[in-house]
Amino acid sequence: MSARLSSEQDYATLLDKYDTWMFDCDGVLWHGDRLIDGAVDVLELLRRKNKKVLFVTNNATKSRKSYKGKFDHLGVQAHVDEIYGSAYAAAVYLSTVVKIPKTQKVYVIGMGGLEEELHEEGITTLGGTDAADNTLAPFSLANFTLDPDVAAVVCGLDTQMNYTKTSKAFQYLTRNPGCLFIATNEDSTYPSADGLLPGAGSISAPLRFALGRDPVCTGKPSTTMLDCINAKVHYNPERTIMVGDRLNTDILFGKSGGLATLLVLSGITQESEITGPEASPIVPDYVTSSIGDLRAAIQRQIHEQA
């Protein structure tokens, strides 16, 4: 059963118990371009207490460098090497696990951030933001030339998804021997500033249906994301906590990695999903309404110093 946090003592104890804090971003720290109340205060508190702070996001539309720009815009302190995104994980997976040769290419269904991370790893891309593929014109195989050097198709969130991209990806995955099918993440939805929208999982879904097979997922809850973090950051899993708003990605990711988990109810997951007869089998260690609730630990410190 999850522990419901409510008192100043609850939050103070939680802060003392964990040295490394991993945060999802959308639905936890912000909604779109609107900060969640108290998020900055809590992050500053953690840094004052010399906690290690990491940001682990399934958002594949931005590279880590461009994501840093969003942190700056919202007034949230963050360093590039503290940010781990699913686009970065996909690029590292291809370069270090698959060891894709420099002569081979990747067909991208996704946006500029995904392309940027792949290019950072020395990987050549096709598709993505290429104007030729961002079209509503009918797709015809008669006008398509298969590139035999495409060794993988990587799917992320693509707000300009179309039939041309799906068709080209399908051709590579069915006609190029051994072509890998990779998804940056399989989130069904994501929380925008004004409500839910289809997530990256809905972008790869047509290909999954057409192919009859699932992609390799590099984002949460996959351990591939945690492997990327492990390669860069030293932390003790027993003193590390994952904070997220989605049970089947953030919380499952933490549990799969042997981390403690804190669910915030400011994003995707609703109260009905963690209580009652229809409750999810994925059970977080702790639950609170919002990340801003941890400000209660600041009040605890004030009272102790008085």
Side-chain angles (χ1 to χ4, degrees), residues 68-272:
K68 169 68 165 64
K70 178 164 186 174
F71 279 88
D72 293 343
H73 174 71
L74 293 175
V76 180
Q77 179 185 346
H79 304 287
V80 170
D81 58 5
E82 294 175 332
I83 302 170
Y84 291 85
S86 61
Y88 172 71
V92 170
Y93 175 77
L94 282 167
S95 66
T96 63
V97 178
V98 175
K99 294 182 170 58
I100 184 171
K102 299 297 183 184
T103 56
Q104 294 187 325
K105 305 170 187 175
V106 170
Y107 185 79
V108 173
I109 295 178
M111 300 170 73
L114 177 53
E115 290 175 317
E116 186 178 338
E117 292 290 13
L118 290 166
H119 296 163
E120 285 285 333
E121 292 296 316
I123 298 170
T124 302
T125 63
L126 299 176
T129 59
D130 187 340
D133 285 17
N134 287 276
T135 176
L136 295 180
F139 177 80
S140 171
L141 282 174
N143 301 321
F144 172 69
T145 302
L146 188 81
D147 188 330
D149 293 328
V150 171
V153 170
V154 179
C155 294
L157 183 63
D158 191 332
T159 59
Q160 297 188 64
M161 184 59 179
N162 58 38
Y163 192 71
T164 292
K165 293 180 182 179
T166 301
S167 298
K168 287 187 177 183
F170 180 80
Q171 296 305 309
Y172 289 123
L173 289 165
T174 55
R175 295 168 61 186
N176 278 10
C179 187
L180 300 174
F181 183 22
I182 297 170
T184 59
N185 68 87
E186 298 183 285
D187 291 9
S188 57
T189 58
Y190 80 91
S192 73
D194 301 306
L196 286 181
L197 290 171
S202 67
I203 302 300
S204 59
L207 280 171
R208 295 174 68 171
F209 188 78
L211 295 165
R213 66 184 172 104
D214 294 332
V216 172
C217 178
T218 59
K220 296 174 293 185
S222 168
T223 55
T224 302
M225 178 75 90
L226 200 59
D227 291 341
C228 288
I229 299 172
N230 283 332
K232 302 289 185 179
V233 180
H234 175 72
Y235 65 89
N236 178 357
E238 294 180 357
R239 292 189 61 82
T240 300
I241 188 167
M242 176 68 206
V243 185
D245 69 310
R246 192 189 289 260
L247 291 171
N248 62 357
T249 54
D250 304 321
I251 303 306
L252 185 56
F253 170 75
K255 288 190 166 296
S256 298
L259 315 178
T261 54
L262 169 61
L263 175 71
V264 293
L265 299 175
S266 54
I268 295 294
T269 301
Q270 303 298 309
E271 180 73 29
S272 60

Side-chain angles (χ1 to χ4, degrees), residues 1-4 18 251 255 259-262 283-287:
M1 178 179 290
S2 304
R4 292 285 182 141
Y18 300 104
I251 303 306
K255 288 190 166 296
L259 315 178
T261 54
L262 169 61
V283 181
D285 296 299
Y286 307 97
V287 178

